[in-house]
Amino acid sequence: MNISELTANHAQWLNGAEDRHGIVVSCRARLARNLSALPFAPKATVEDQEQVIEQVLTAAQRGHLMNSASFFRMDALRENERRLLVERHLVSPALAESKGQRGLLFSRDESLSIMINEEDHLRLQAILPGLQAENAWAAVNALDDELGASVAYAHSDKWGFLTACPTNVGTGLRLSILIHLPALVLTEDMERVTRGLTEMAFTVRGFYGEGTHPVGNLFQVSNQSTLGVEEDRIVEKLTAITQQIIACEKDAQDALLKEARAQVEDKVWRAYGLLSHARVLSSQEFMNLLSAVRLGYSLDLLKQLDSAFMNRLMIVTQPSHLQMENGGEIAAEERDIYRAERVRSHFATLASEESGQS
Amino acid sequence: MNISELTANHAQWLNGAEDRHGIVVSCRARLARNLSALPFAPKATVEDQEQVIEQVLTAAQRGHLMNSASFFRMDALRENERRLLVERHLVSPALAESKGQRGLLFSRDESLSIMINEEDHLRLQAILPGLQAENAWAAVNALDDELGASVAYAHSDKWGFLTACPTNVGTGLRLSILIHLPALVLTEDMERVTRGLTEMAFTVRGFYGEGTHPVGNLFQVSNQSTLGVEEDRIVEKLTAITQQIIACEKDAQDALLKEARAQVEDKVWRAYGLLSHARVLSSQEFMNLLSAVRLGYSLDLLKQLDSAFMNRLMIVTQPSHLQMENGGEIAAEERDIYRAERVRSHFATLASEESGQS
């Protein structure tokens, strides 16, 4: 696949499946792995990095899961192209910004991907729509098995899989969900929820992972420890905890609607009106308005759009996607105009919102 | 006419005629008159007031301009009904709120009206759409002549027509235009314009006349002195000055569009989006959003609505109109919900705004 085709590609994890309430966007399972025969990233030479790439590509081609996958050498991409991959959640900001020989291998539907020469030699990722922790884990596990049949991983009987950073040692599994919690933010309960999760060894982060701020009331919840806990147990625990968070959010949403229906409806429909009419839209404002519209969807107030519509819009309105679509560099101010245009043209495809209303 | 029918009545002055730029809403000519045979308002007894009403009604019936007019006794109306007449610019707040026997006579198209026992025995009013000072003056002059054929006005050869307040002595003519000046407000030139007008003996007031604040960038400009200036001269001067203000506003609008097209378009379309989607709308916010939409109309950015649409909406969304439509008292909070509903249903009648756009 050519990188410019990616903007129009429909990533599977954005399709809104298994997302009954419009609350859990996606679920991601990631494994950290290193090749035993080569020095870990901090000590790897350019030649070592090339070796890693070669071995991984060979192993991938031998299996069937990734044998028709696309491969990009990060060092051959322009900055905007690398950022585009970050916006699609295919690579981490770290892989996009680091130096050296590094690459990305990913399946056509973007559900499976491998970052090569990030913090570890390999970061395997499976990402699926909705709360599908078990399926995501199964998918990344299958990919791991397939590669493991061709390459020797760094592994210790005592510690499990060895990784560049001790926080990933053991299973090397990080499971995370991307979840929309507007009512818990509005009722100022998010801090309490975050505290509770931290106590249970889960972390809460922003939309683009570690070190990023939450935007548009989207949070990433993931397990903290990868050592001494079996994979199935992590899957089970994250699923149970996510179901609890969904229940809390749903309760808070219902209470809001009960206590202040007109104000909630007003917030939702104003956001809809602005998204479908504004001529200038900053990324931040867009995400906040989209959050209000998503809340409307969760509350069944809006029936003319669905999760897939909102999820895809959220990605294609990111700066590098806009730039790629436009075919060249856009000034920040022009970008907000262009974003508004793109959003408007998406909304124009929806059925008239007034039909069937009082 | 029954007062409840008024909410659906299409007042002629709101029809947007003679309003090329969407800037001048309407033009009003008002004459202050008193009957020579009866004490002026401050000294009038209830019997005197009844006499005034009787003589005016008799005189009106003799002529042809007002012989099929509607008559309301203000003291027989409920508070909300009196306020409804204020909202339609048929009576002054003073007439609505004062005590004693007082009334309103008005033509079916609301272009001609007579307030009886306001500050003066008679206040004759002609109100027309757009900048039609000459026609408004001619209309109220004809009404004055017709009544003057049946009743004797208090008049002095030295001073002209005598009035309760010396500021109205002389011709008794007050001519005023209702004008929308969003760009002059935005560029902070309105203070300078007001100062200039004051120096030329014109006053600038809010939407509902003396003592009211401007809302939605609507201003009333009127002549200050009625003494020692001939009526034709007042008409001429106000017309010339209004044309100057229109030119200033138009220049400011064009400059805004030239300097910040995207921001102006954004402001206009956001207002459109909010008016057509909000579920709660205060009167103040509504007027501000309508002002932005009107600016869009002036600038030819919006083609799916016209002055008549905006002018009528501006009146029917006033509190007493909403209450009358609803058939009973509405709490302030409910009123904002009901206003949003009314506005939305009006906007729903418009052609889709996205058609024919880039």
Side-chain angles (χ1 to χ4, degrees):
Chain A
M1 194 187 304
N2 190 298
I3 196 158
S4 66
E5 293 169 47
L6 264 183
T7 58
N9 199 44
H10 280 178
Q12 189 200 2
W13 68 277
L14 296 169
N15 76 10
E18 306 292 326
D19 175 27
R20 250 188 321 142
H21 301 288
I23 292 175
V24 180
V25 175
S26 61
C27 182
R28 196 166 61 97
R30 180 274 273 158
L31 289 175
R33 294 289 184 265
N34 289 278
L35 305 185
S36 62
L38 290 162
F40 279 21
K43 298 217 165 178
T45 63
V46 169
E47 290 70 29
D48 294 332
Q49 292 173 335
E50 288 292 357
Q51 275 289 313
V52 174
I53 293 175
E54 203 185 303
Q55 288 189 28
V56 173
L57 288 180
T58 308
Q61 270 157 11
R62 258 183 224 149
H64 71 276
L65 287 172
M66 294 297 258
N67 62 8
S68 65
S70 299
F71 176 66
F72 291 136
R73 287 195 76 108
M74 298 303 286
D75 39 297
L77 297 178
R78 276 177 294 208
E79 196 194 347
N80 188 57
E81 296 170 329
R82 295 196 304 271
R83 281 196 317 240
L84 182 111
L85 297 174
V86 176
E87 290 174 356
R88 295 188 81 78
H89 291 227
L90 282 170
V91 308
S92 63
L95 190 79
E97 287 151 25
S98 65
K99 302 268 170 246
Q101 310 306 96
R102 59 207 198 280
L104 164 72
L105 197 65
F106 63 98
S107 62
R108 174 126 213 136
D109 68 2
E110 301 178 39
S111 67
L112 281 179
S113 60
I114 306 171
M115 287 193 283
I116 308 173
N117 291 329
E118 207 242 25
E119 187 181 297
D120 294 295
H121 289 156
L122 283 86
R123 288 283 176 100
L124 317 181
Q125 171 179 288
I127 182 164
L128 293 174
L131 178 54
Q132 298 193 60
E134 205 172 324
N135 292 340
W137 156 239
V140 82
N141 193 28
L143 179 59
D144 184 43
D145 286 351
E146 216 179 72
L147 294 175
S150 299
V151 297
Y153 290 140
H155 186 273
S156 122
D157 288 342
K158 186 177 175 192
W159 298 107
F161 292 100
L162 300 178
T163 53
C165 174
T167 57
N168 295 310
V169 162
T171 60
L173 173 65
R174 177 140 297 140
L175 209 61
S176 63
I177 49 138
L178 182 60
I179 189 165
H180 182 237
L181 304 172
L184 289 177
V185 170
L186 216 58
T187 55
E188 292 177 359
D189 279 325
M190 204 46 219
E191 215 171 300
R192 192 174 51 77
V193 170
T194 304
R195 220 165 33 236
L197 286 167
T198 310
E199 278 166 20
M200 289 182 289
F202 284 83
T203 60
V204 181
R205 291 163 176 166
F207 186 30
Y208 280 103
E210 202 159 358
T212 64
H213 288 285
V215 277
N217 300 317
L218 284 167
F219 299 88
Q220 283 200 56
V221 178
S222 57
N223 63 306
Q224 202 148 30
S225 59
T226 55
L227 183 66
V229 192
E230 268 179 43
E231 291 91 341
D232 289 342
R233 189 77 195 95
I234 297 175
V235 168
E236 220 172 79
K237 227 175 131 187
L238 186 79
T239 304
I241 269 175
T242 304
Q243 275 158 346
Q244 253 181 291
I245 303 174
I246 294 173
C248 287
E249 170 64 22
K250 208 62 202 125
D251 283 351
Q253 288 186 6
D254 292 342
L256 275 178
L257 196 61
K258 203 172 156 191
E259 282 161 32
R261 174 174 274 272
Q263 286 64 35
V264 172
E265 288 185 348
D266 190 50
K267 183 184 170 71
V268 167
W269 281 105
R270 278 172 184 256
Y272 190 101
L274 289 174
L275 288 173
S276 52
H277 290 84
R279 262 55 183 170
V280 184
L281 266 180
S282 72
S283 168
Q284 169 108 24
E285 186 189 11
F286 166 76
M287 288 298 278
N288 288 336
L289 293 174
L290 190 70
S291 173
V293 164
R294 203 185 280 271
L295 173 62
Y297 172 75
S298 285
L299 286 169
D300 241 0
L301 298 175
L302 281 178
K303 298 183 202 300
Q304 47 277 101
L305 42 70
D306 58 18
S307 293
F309 176 90
M310 295 182 284
N311 295 343
R312 287 170 190 158
L313 196 55
M314 178 172 81
I315 301 299
V316 298
T317 52
Q318 303 278 335
S320 295
H321 274 77
L322 293 179
Q323 208 147 302
M324 185 70 82
E325 283 269 328
N326 186 57
E329 188 74 33
I330 328 179
E333 206 189 273
E334 290 295 310
R335 199 191 289 149
D336 290 351
I337 296 172
Y338 192 57
R339 177 180 294 110
E341 255 178 61
R342 301 279 298 142
V343 171
R344 225 157 58 240
S345 77
H346 271 71
F347 272 80
T349 64
L350 297 175
S352 163
E353 73 270 19
E354 300 300 337
S355 63
Q357 276 189 58
S358 64
Chain B
M1 195 188 301
N2 188 298
I3 196 159
S4 66
E5 294 168 46
L6 265 181
T7 58
N9 199 45
H10 279 179
Q12 189 199 2
W13 69 277
L14 297 170
N15 77 10
E18 305 293 326
D19 175 27
R20 252 188 321 144
H21 301 288
I23 292 175
V24 180
V25 175
S26 60
C27 182
R28 196 164 62 97
R30 179 275 270 160
L31 290 175
R33 294 291 182 263
N34 288 278
L35 305 186
S36 61
L38 290 162
F40 279 21
K43 296 213 164 179
T45 63
V46 169
E47 289 73 28
D48 294 332
Q49 293 173 335
E50 288 292 355
Q51 276 287 315
V52 174
I53 294 175
E54 205 186 300
Q55 288 187 29
V56 173
L57 288 181
T58 307
Q61 269 156 13
R62 261 184 221 148
H64 71 277
L65 286 172
M66 294 298 257
N67 63 7
S68 65
S70 299
F71 177 67
F72 291 136
R73 289 195 75 107
M74 298 304 286
D75 39 297
L77 297 179
R78 278 176 294 205
E79 195 194 346
N80 188 56
E81 295 170 330
R82 296 196 304 270
R83 280 196 319 240
L84 181 112
L85 297 173
V86 175
E87 289 173 0
R88 295 188 81 77
H89 290 227
L90 283 170
V91 308
S92 62
L95 191 79
E97 286 152 24
S98 65
K99 301 270 171 244
Q101 310 307 96
R102 58 208 198 280
L104 165 72
L105 197 66
F106 64 98
S107 62
R108 173 127 215 136
D109 68 2
E110 302 179 37
S111 66
L112 281 179
S113 59
I114 307 172
M115 285 194 282
I116 308 173
N117 293 326
E118 208 243 22
E119 188 182 295
D120 294 295
H121 290 156
L122 283 82
R123 287 282 175 97
L124 316 182
Q125 172 177 288
I127 182 164
L128 293 174
L131 178 53
Q132 299 193 58
E134 207 172 326
N135 291 341
W137 156 240
V140 82
N141 193 27
L143 180 59
D144 184 42
D145 287 349
E146 214 178 75
L147 294 174
S150 299
V151 297
Y153 289 140
H155 186 274
S156 121
D157 286 343
K158 187 176 175 194
W159 298 108
F161 292 101
L162 301 176
T163 53
C165 174
T167 56
N168 294 310
V169 162
T171 59
L173 173 65
R174 177 137 296 141
L175 208 60
S176 62
I177 49 138
L178 183 60
I179 189 164
H180 183 236
L181 304 172
L184 290 177
V185 170
L186 216 58
T187 56
E188 293 178 357
D189 279 325
M190 205 43 220
E191 218 172 295
R192 193 173 51 75
V193 170
T194 304
R195 221 166 32 237
L197 286 167
T198 310
E199 278 165 21
M200 289 183 287
F202 284 83
T203 59
V204 181
R205 291 163 175 165
F207 186 28
Y208 280 104
E210 201 158 0
T212 65
H213 287 287
V215 277
N217 300 317
L218 284 167
F219 298 88
Q220 283 199 55
V221 178
S222 56
N223 62 309
Q224 202 148 30
S225 59
T226 56
L227 184 66
V229 192
E230 268 178 45
E231 291 90 341
D232 289 343
R233 189 78 195 92
I234 298 175
V235 168
E236 222 172 79
K237 227 175 130 186
L238 187 79
T239 304
I241 269 176
T242 304
Q243 275 157 347
Q244 254 182 287
I245 304 174
I246 294 172
C248 287
E249 170 64 22
K250 207 63 202 126
D251 284 351
Q253 287 186 7
D254 292 342
L256 274 178
L257 196 61
K258 203 174 157 191
E259 282 161 34
R261 174 173 275 272
Q263 286 64 36
V264 172
E265 287 185 349
D266 190 50
K267 184 184 169 71
V268 166
W269 281 105
R270 278 172 185 255
Y272 190 102
L274 288 175
L275 287 173
S276 51
H277 289 85
R279 261 53 182 171
V280 183
L281 267 181
S282 72
S283 169
Q284 168 107 27
E285 187 189 9
F286 166 75
M287 288 298 278
N288 289 335
L289 294 173
L290 189 70
S291 173
V293 164
R294 203 185 280 273
L295 173 63
Y297 172 75
S298 286
L299 286 169
D300 242 359
L301 299 174
L302 282 177
K303 299 185 202 296
Q304 46 278 106
L305 41 69
D306 57 18
S307 293
F309 176 89
M310 294 182 285
N311 295 343
R312 287 170 190 158
L313 196 55
M314 177 173 82
I315 301 298
V316 299
T317 52
Q318 303 280 333
S320 296
H321 274 77
L322 294 179
Q323 208 146 302
M324 184 70 82
E325 283 268 329
N326 186 57
E329 188 73 37
I330 329 178
E333 206 190 274
E334 290 295 310
R335 201 191 288 149
D336 290 349
I337 296 172
Y338 192 57
R339 177 179 295 109
E341 255 178 60
R342 300 280 298 142
V343 171
R344 224 157 58 241
S345 77
H346 271 70
F347 272 80
T349 65
L350 298 175
S352 164
E353 72 271 17
E354 300 299 338
S355 62
Q357 276 188 57
S358 66

